[in-house]
Amino acid sequence: MEVMETVNNKIYVEGSNTLRLKWPVGKSINYGVRIVFDEEGTQNEVKYETRVTRLKPSATGEALFQIERISDVFVNEILPDLIADKLAHAAGKVFYPLIISVDKNGGFDGIANHQQILKRWEGVKAKIMDNFEGRVIEDYVARMEKQLALRENVQMALLQNDWFLQTLFKPIYKTYGLVNGGISYKFPVLKSLMSDGYFTRENLQQQENDFGALQLIHEGYLPPGAEDPTAPTGSYEGFYILHPQNKHIISVVSDLTYREQTTINIKVKIFMTPENGQPFDHDFAQDKTEAAYADGEGLVVIDGAPRKSFWYRLLNI
């Protein structure tokens, strides 16, 4: 069935929805990122903040986004303290600002500013050599330099290690219908390039939630290996909340398990954060009502208890 659209793009034919990203060029959104790794009862947490900006399309028409780290990266609430961690943290700054291209469905496609990263490396390397000493440091810098030289190497490193990219930039902007054959999604926990990823069913909710936003639900699993009974197994659940007009992600929570010799549980939370210290307490349902009123449509007010704040309802506090 075809998608039926009205002026406000809010009404869909049951059984078929289409998500199209309408993120304006130049608009930036700040996101908080929290990733918790739990392996055999040992838990580690990574937290940081990032800014994502929609850029003008490339000369060939590709959609471009700039990603900036706007905070330090905290591990278990502290800055890296071991030498190896400090070194990795210092070297990792070479990637930002990172500009990526995305495909027509919003999925991560590739790095668009590799040459800028190479130029930036000279300054980052100088700081590393000033702040660290020893043969091990020289070897690390040499390996890093070799990896950075090829765009394909940098891209593969991000695909295998960057949870933010592999969670926020999934190909979710497409048509959802009654027949959903599923799609395979990869995450950094899958180090093997041979794995097809988590086979995932996607369900775009027909109704907006109680504060007017859209909800997209993922349910997936690692298919058991037909040829290899010892192949890894696991499950994946994703819960996206999307802006009803621009369709950008307000928040996403992903839960993954990966079982091989041991079981690893990973929870990824990405959520919009207020800008410049301003409170973020938005009710999209109220926007919809006000827009209808402005258009001269009928306005019906039902008495009831005051509505809870956006974040209160979002986080179920």
Side-chain angles (χ1 to χ4, degrees):
M1 298 179 68
E2 293 284 328
V3 175
M4 295 180 60
E5 297 183 345
T6 63
V7 173
N8 63 10
N9 197 28
K10 290 286 190 70
I11 299 175
Y12 307 94
V13 173
E14 185 176 357
S16 179
N17 281 344
T18 297
L19 281 179
R20 294 189 180 92
L21 184 61
K22 299 178 181 179
W23 188 319
V25 170
K27 178 179 176 60
S28 298
I29 296 178
N30 293 349
Y31 287 103
V33 183
R34 180 175 181 261
I35 309 167
V36 178
F37 304 89
D38 190 325
E39 183 172 6
E40 300 294 295
T42 299
Q43 193 173 96
N44 290 287
E45 177 193 66
V46 177
K47 293 170 67 174
Y48 60 89
E49 291 184 78
T50 189
R51 177 180 294 117
V52 181
T53 305
R54 178 73 181 267
L55 304 179
K56 292 181 180 179
S58 69
T60 56
E62 295 175 303
L64 300 179
F65 288 85
Q66 177 176 275
I67 301 162
E68 304 167 84
R69 288 277 175 87
I70 57 175
S71 77
D72 284 314
V73 177
F74 292 87
V75 179
N76 299 328
E77 300 293 347
I78 62 173
L79 290 172
D81 56 351
L82 300 176
I83 296 297
D85 292 339
K86 287 182 178 180
L87 181 57
H89 184 258
K93 293 180 179 180
V94 71
F95 297 111
Y96 300 95
L98 175 68
I99 298 176
I100 66 168
S101 60
V102 302
D103 62 27
K104 63 180 181 180
N105 300 125
F108 173 60
D109 191 44
I111 299 169
N113 66 331
H114 180 240
Q115 291 303 313
Q116 292 178 19
I117 292 173
L118 289 179
K119 292 179 181 178
R120 197 180 299 140
W121 169 244
E122 295 304 317
V124 172
K125 179 173 70 172
K127 289 184 178 180
I128 290 175
M129 301 306 291
D130 285 343
N131 295 323
F132 299 89
E133 294 181 355
R135 180 62 180 273
V136 173
I137 305 303
E138 295 176 1
D139 291 343
Y140 182 93
V141 168
R143 291 198 306 271
M144 185 78 174
E145 205 156 61
K146 184 177 179 180
Q147 285 292 105
L148 290 175
L150 294 177
R151 176 178 178 271
E152 293 77 12
N153 289 344
V154 179
Q155 190 162 296
M156 187 58 63
L158 292 174
L159 286 170
Q160 292 183 321
N161 296 285
D162 196 307
W163 282 90
F164 177 77
L165 285 180
Q166 290 299 303
T167 303
L168 197 78
F169 292 97
K170 289 295 186 193
I172 64 173
Y173 297 99
K174 54 194 172 187
T175 297
Y176 297 83
L178 287 174
V179 178
N180 185 351
I183 185 173
S184 289
Y185 281 142
K186 290 189 176 183
F187 292 91
V189 71
L190 300 171
K191 297 301 183 182
S192 172
L193 299 178
M194 302 303 293
S195 173
D196 291 330
Y198 291 81
F199 181 77
T200 302
R201 302 281 186 180
E202 302 168 294
N203 180 15
L204 180 62
Q205 300 292 289
Q206 295 291 322
Q207 300 294 325
E208 296 167 349
N209 62 16
D210 64 352
F211 50 89
L214 303 175
Q215 297 178 113
L216 174 65
I217 298 172
H218 286 177
E219 293 182 333
Y221 64 94
L222 283 178
E227 304 295 332
D228 182 8
T230 65
T233 60
S235 61
Y236 158 57
E237 294 180 352
F239 181 60
Y240 288 76
I241 294 181
L242 306 165
H243 191 284
Q245 284 84 40
N246 295 335
K247 308 299 188 295
H248 61 66
I249 293 172
I250 297 172
S251 72
V252 55
V253 177
S254 293
D255 283 289
L256 297 101
T257 61
Y258 180 84
R259 303 180 190 91
E260 199 168 10
Q261 283 84 11
T262 61
T263 298
I264 305 174
N265 296 292
I266 305 103
K267 180 184 285 288
V268 182
K269 292 185 177 182
I270 300 173
F271 49 91
M272 285 177 58
T273 59
E275 294 187 41
N276 302 319
Q278 298 299 313
F280 188 94
D281 183 11
H282 201 81
D283 193 326
F284 300 110
Q286 181 66 23
D287 281 356
K288 183 178 179 180
T289 301
E290 291 174 354
Y293 184 76
D295 289 340
E297 298 181 9
L299 179 63
V300 179
V301 178
I302 301 176
D303 292 335
R307 295 176 64 84
K308 295 177 179 178
S309 75
F310 171 79
W311 283 118
Y312 190 104
R313 283 172 284 147
L314 175 63
L315 301 175
N316 295 317
I317 297 175

